[in-house]
Amino acid sequence: MNLIFLGPPGVGKGTQALQVAAYAKLAHVATGDILRAAVKAGTKTGLEARSYMDSGRLVPDEVVNRLVRERLEEKDTQGGVLFDGYPRTPAQAQSLDAALRELGRKISGVFDFQAPDAVLVERISGRRTCGKCQKAYHVKFAPSKAGESCETCGGALVQRSDDKPETVQKRLDVYRKDTAGVGDHYRKAGVYQAIAADGPIGAITEDVLARVKRLA
Ligand SMILES: [Zn+2]
């Protein structure tokens, strides 16, 4: 079984991906992780990716696709893969189709996690981290008992600049622009499923696992 999890920042797809990958014994494949691993291992494609990152440029689609293709040749992916946040564009989706076809594999299901922008902005912009011990909080969903300070070590809670509401809205806009057409690509292939992800995490996990069982 090969699954794709799509969804904007803050939708909680990463948490769901880890649970489903463990449950269905799938290799968890996220492009950020592949990129870091390839750079660390010093592979040819990894070094190429690094030259872009070192100069502050975005790693081009073609290099990302090649990294994914190389990752699919590793043994642990033979029992199935959960792609987390990839493909992000229709061009990446086509490249993934071709790579899987070459390997005699195919996508079993694409889960598109959806929530209104207002919910996503509230979730992300409420995040705080202790500047001293890195403990994570949320002003609404997991507030510190010590108010503006860390309840464990007393450190000041800080907000990542990426998590400020206006930046979050920009990140969401970029996500929608990049991914436009990816859902349709898989709808045409008959493997697309939309997941309502604005409710409690436990209920979403139950829904997702039931869908995975139906695909197995
Ligand atoms: Zn702390």
Side-chain angles (χ1 to χ4, degrees), residues 60-207:
D61 255 17
E62 186 269 319
V63 177
V64 175
N65 290 337
R66 210 169 345 123
L67 285 169
V68 171
R69 176 73 176 79
E70 287 168 11
R71 179 72 182 83
L72 288 174
E73 275 158 25
E74 284 169 43
K75 216 171 167 196
D76 68 314
T77 66
Q78 284 173 2
V81 173
L82 195 163
F83 296 96
D84 181 356
Y86 176 91
R88 195 180 159 98
T89 63
Q92 288 185 349
Q94 282 165 13
S95 164
L96 179 62
D97 284 353
L100 289 170
R101 207 165 29 237
E102 226 177 281
L103 295 162
R105 306 183 205 167
K106 64 180 170 56
I107 294 298
S108 329
V110 175
F111 294 174
D112 188 7
F113 292 79
Q114 300 179 337
D117 277 10
V119 171
L120 301 171
V121 172
E122 183 184 45
R123 278 187 194 164
I124 301 178
S125 63
R127 290 176 187 164
R128 298 290 183 276
T129 314
C130 171
K132 248 162 111 184
C133 75
Q134 310 306 322
K135 184 170 176 175
Y137 294 93
H138 191 284
V139 292
K140 184 170 171 192
F141 305 119
S144 167
K145 290 190 190 85
E148 298 289 298
S149 317
C150 175
E151 60 187 34
T152 307
C153 76
L157 302 188
V158 290
Q159 182 181 38
R160 281 176 49 200
S161 60
D162 244 19
D163 290 348
K164 302 217 186 295
E166 57 281 10
T167 315
V168 174
Q169 189 57 56
K170 263 186 219 141
R171 285 165 65 195
L172 292 174
D173 294 343
V174 169
Y175 172 81
R176 308 247 185 253
K177 190 165 164 267
D178 282 356
T179 56
V182 174
D184 277 343
H185 178 90
Y186 291 113
R187 209 173 275 126
K188 277 182 208 144
V191 290
Y192 178 89
Q193 303 190 30
I195 311 269
D198 50 352
I201 292 180
I204 301 164
T205 307
E206 250 176 65
D207 175 29

